[in-house]
């Protein structure tokens, strides 16, 4: 997520902030490493055992201390929860909504940036805000679940 936002931010500022390229590489490596760790934890929780024995002491957690999830407020609903809202649509209304949304978003992206000066200036701190604010909000949303 953060790696993709970094790539989009790099292009939003017309490739004028070169420090974003190694930042994207670092975020990609971090994301892939945490995804690998999560896959390992899921496999272990389903009974998988490494053939070479215990590598990490991840299995020592007591299953009686499982996380009790609280009901989430509707204000933290993300794009992945749109399936429930769109489930009642037939194929044609879904395609019409998808086309209209893409057309409006394309128009806003293409001509909306002309209303602002920041894409044409190399502002490192603004670009980092573009990357880390959505990433932190996404992390907070998943932490609340």
């Amino acid at each position: 997520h953060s790696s993709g936002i970094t790539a989009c931010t790099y292009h939003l500022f017309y490739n004028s902030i070169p420090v974003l390229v190694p930042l994207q590489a670092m975020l990609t490596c971090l994301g892939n490493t945490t995804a690998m760790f999560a896959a390992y934890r899921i496999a272990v929780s389903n009974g998988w055992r490494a053939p070479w024995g215990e590598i990490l002491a991840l299995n020592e957690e007591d299953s009686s201390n499982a996380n009790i999830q609280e009901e989430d407020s509707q204000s933290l609903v993300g794009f992945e929860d749109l399936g429930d809202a769109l489930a009642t649509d037939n194929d044609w209304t879904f395609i019409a909504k998808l086309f209209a949304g893409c057309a409006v978003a394309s128009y806003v992206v293409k001509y909306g940036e002309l209303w602002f000066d920041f894409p044409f200036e190399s502002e490192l701190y603004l670009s980092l805000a573009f990357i880390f604010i959505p990433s932190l909000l996404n992390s907070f949303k998943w932490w609340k679940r």
Side-chain angles (χ1 to χ4, degrees), residues 34-113:
T34 56
M36 180 229 22
F37 184 67
Y40 173 78
R41 293 288 307 257
I42 291 170
V44 168
S45 72
N46 288 326
W48 180 81
R49 297 278 183 210
W52 53 84
E54 296 295 326
I55 297 173
L56 300 173
L58 297 175
N59 298 339
E60 296 176 2
E61 297 175 4
D62 187 11
S63 62
S64 63
N65 294 333
N67 293 337
I68 301 172
Q69 294 185 358
E70 298 177 7
E71 183 105 5
D72 196 18
S73 69
Q74 292 300 319
S75 63
L76 293 175
V77 173
F79 285 110
E80 59 273 354
D81 299 318
L82 284 177
D84 296 334
L86 297 174
T88 59
D89 289 347
N90 63 29
D91 290 342
W92 293 108
T93 57
F94 176 74
I95 289 172
K97 287 179 182 179
L98 184 64
F99 177 78
C102 288
V104 169
S106 298
Y107 186 83
V108 168
V109 167
K110 181 172 178 100
Y111 297 109
E113 71 178 1

